[in-house]
Structures are given as C-alpha cells and as structure tokens.
Amino acid sequence: MERAVLHCDLNNFYASVECRDFPHLRGKAVAVCGRQEDRHGIVLAKNELAKQYGVSTGEPVFKAMQKCPQLVVTPPHYDRYLYFSNLAKEIYLSFTDRIEPFGIDECWLDVTGSRALFGTPYEIAEAIRKQFCSRLGLTVSVGVSFNKIFAKLASDLKKPNATTVITKADFKETLWKLPVEYMLGVGRATLKKLHEAGIFTIGELAQSNENYLYAMFGKHGSELWNNANGRNDAPVAHIQDREPPKSIGNSMTCPRDLEREEQAERVLLYLSEKVAGRMYRGGVVACGVHLMIKDRLFGTKQYQQTLEMPTRRVKDIYAAACRMLRQHYKWKEPIRALGVSGFMLAPQAQREQLSFFTDTQACIREDRLEENIAGLKEKYGKHIVTYGTLLGGDFDLYQKDTGNRIPYRPFQK
Ligand SMILES: [Mg+2]
C-alpha cells in the first residue's frame, strides 16, 4: 500500500496566536517582536496583513515601521505557543499516533493506517484543517504526499488554510519547477555548490547524475538526488519516540561558598554549557531559562525568564542566567549552590530558520561552532574543549582529581 504522509504547518503561528488571544489585534497588521534590550528589536513573526506591506521576519522593528507605519508591535508569549502546539498534537492524535514534530508549529503525520477509519488522506487533511478552525481558532496548511520530503514541500505551496496533494503521478509537473532550496536538506552551503554546478531547480537536481552528486556531497548528495526523485522512505516517528522532556537542567553545590559575582558567573557558564550540550543531544530548544540560587543558610530562590527566541546556545542560556543573578541576588549571604535549566522545550527545527535574521552569517557561524563543540565533547569527552575562563584559578571547574585541588562534583537534578 502506498504511504500517506501529511505535513501540517500552522500559518503565521506566533502572530496568529497573538491575534486569537488579543481581539484588539484582529484586522490589523501585527508583528511579534523581541525585546529591544535583548537584541536589536527584530521582527520574530508577522501576520498576513503585515506581510502584504512587505514586513519580513528578522528585520529591525524600525524598518518594519517604515514600511507599515500602522504596524502593531507585540511581544512574544512562548507559553501560549507551546500550549497551542500541544493542543494541535491532540488533534493529530485523534487520527494517528505516528506524529513527528518539526519545530513548534510543524508536524509530519503518517496516516497510512488511518484510511479505513477516517477516509482518504485528503479527507483526513481536510478534517484536520476544519478542526483547527473550529476548536483552536487557528489555521493550518496541510501537504499530502507519499513521503515526508514532498509532504513538506506541498504544505508550503498553498497558504494560509489549505490542503495540497502531491501524488506519484504529478510530482514532476508540480515540484520539479520549484527552486532547489525549497527542498528540505538544501541549506546555504549546499545551495551555493549546487548553483555552481548549474543546478537551480528540484527537477535539475533530480535529472542530474547521482554519482556526480555523491562525489560532491558524499552520502548527503545521494540522499538529495533520491529525495528529488521521490525516493525517500524515512519513517514518521511514533509520538512516544519524540516526546520532549519538560525541562533540562543541571545544578551544583560548590565546595567553597561563592562570594562574588564573577565566581558565580563562572559556575553559571559551566552549568549553561552542560545544559546546552544536553539540549543539543536531545534535539530541543528552550523558550525559557530558570535559575536556582541556594545561599549559605540554605535559603533557596528561584527565578525564570522567557527568551526572545527559542535557543539552545550556551551564550543565550548563560546571558539569561547572569541577567537574573544580577537583577535579583543581593549578596547578603554567599552562594552555596546554583542551578540552571532550560524550560518550555520545543523540538529544534531546521537551522535554516535562522537565516531569516539580519545577523545571519554570524548567527549561523555561532550555531555551527556550538554544535561542533558539543559534537567534540560527545566524541572525546567533556574535557576536550572548554571556555578559557573556566580554566585555572580558584574555580578550576575542569581540573581532574590529579592534584590536591578539590574538584566540583556536579549532580543532576
Ligand atoms: Mg508555520
């Protein structure tokens, strides 16, 4: 039996949730924007009306306001986005248990085995779309196809609130004329090389030579060629395979009490690095950071902050933890223990999403650097690479039990 895969993509997700929650925003051009003080106040998401004025994700707020002076700017509410993301999953679950999230607002569904109960894949897609409108007040674009790659491409073709079917009989006609970068797996670096080789469309990729692509990209090249030809049999994960944890955290009781901010910051960096590494391995990003401070008298204080953008970078987690420490801790007592965790976790989507942002190149470089560091640690152990500031001195967090120094003994929450 031919596989039936759906890809559901919530339309303008952040902006749609804001308009749903705050009726005064409806009918207006709306942009969800980061806090000015965190970054440079950039557009994180926008609704259809704002899009019509040319407002684009990643541009500075002032630029967006120039294009659309009546633009209404609103801050993000990640707790609400996660809430609706989970409600969406409940709707999907009523049709199948083969659900694989991709980012906070996208999911693949394998409905091959659901046909006897719920009708054709198209009918299932339409039923899902209707339920989104009536139960959530949100819209979704659904792509229906025989593999994950084409289902995702299909969901991008008609927006908002539409179903697009791509079959084995018509995929060449419909998809092959599209730019090759529309296909999953074609990132910035790959695209550049493909262009150099004269490959600009998905069809050109499909009709090129597999061996040639293999020579250029290795295994990934073969995969791309197969994907463009509709030969992708990657399964849709089972819902239970992918349930992300609620939070990921590490804490540590220091052998000596911390008396100064710099000392505490070094421990926070150490903890942030551990947390980020675990998030990297788990394939998740956090929408918020939580800080636990225990003072010498065992008084415990907890703080949390939502982030401007979901992240799993050491830098962002560390910055949020330090910010909370500075804002809240008065240093009446030295600190005995610290804990850092990321909460409101969502599955990490493709890295390309970052490329929308203005400081694109820097963002991607930093992300890659952090991923490489995490990869090295996984392969060669956590001591292989670290921040210079964590080495030496009174707080040598990476010193092994060789000398007479007392090593820190982190424990997991
Ligand atoms: Mg979306």
Side-chain angles (χ1 to χ4, degrees), residues 9-13 105-106:
D9 185 352
L10 280 85
N11 303 121
N12 307 321
F13 183 46
D105 66 333
E106 298 179 27

Side-chain angles (χ1 to χ4, degrees), residues 242-266:
R242 293 278 180 133
E243 269 304 281
K246 293 267 179 279
S247 70
I248 288 180
N250 283 82
S251 61
M252 148 194 279
T253 300
C254 309
R256 283 180 290 278
D257 290 344
L258 309 174
E259 305 197 336
R260 294 191 312 275
E261 198 160 277
E262 319 81 89
Q263 294 174 332
E265 281 176 356
R266 291 180 75 192

Side-chain angles (χ1 to χ4, degrees), residues 255-257 260 263 266 391-397 405-406 408:
R256 283 180 290 278
D257 290 344
R260 294 191 312 275
Q263 294 174 332
R266 291 180 75 192
L391 293 170
D394 218 15
F395 288 87
D396 192 344
L397 297 163
R405 250 189 264 259
I406 310 161
Y408 278 82

Side-chain angles (χ1 to χ4, degrees), residues 220-237:
H220 184 56
S222 279
E223 267 168 29
L224 288 175
W225 183 82
N226 278 303
N227 288 349
N229 280 294
R231 293 185 208 120
N232 175 296
D233 53 9
V236 175

